[in-house]
Amino acid sequence: MMCMTVDIKNQTHWTDTKGIATHFNMKPGTIRKQRSKQTKNAFPFHKVGGCVRYSILECEKFMENNTKEYA
């Protein structure tokens, strides 16, 4: 089964690892590593038919909730 990248311009908020990496200007390998090691700063994801999918809305909310302020 081949997982395809979902174009954000198609008015959907679901994407794959490459799409979420592009959205947050990160490397896809970093996101995969955080997910596989189950780190606390890994984006929330869903498995659909063997493919990993991310909700852009959930990931943006996750980023907002994990903001750190330095004194």
Side-chain angles (χ1 to χ4, degrees), residues 14-37:
W14 292 98
T15 189
D16 62 1
T17 303
K18 185 176 178 183
I20 205 71
T22 301
H23 184 78
F24 287 105
N25 195 26
M26 297 174 71
K27 293 182 180 180
T30 301
I31 294 173
R32 279 189 212 99
K33 186 184 288 186
Q34 290 173 345
R35 184 181 71 235
S36 68
K37 291 188 175 193

Side-chain angles (χ1 to χ4, degrees), residues 64 66-71:
E64 289 174 11
N66 288 307
T67 303
K68 305 289 186 228
E69 293 186 26
Y70 295 98

Side-chain angles (χ1 to χ4, degrees), residues 37-50:
K37 291 188 175 193
Q38 299 177 357
T39 62
K40 66 178 181 176
N41 59 341
F43 287 118
F45 67 95
H46 304 265
K47 290 207 69 169
V48 180

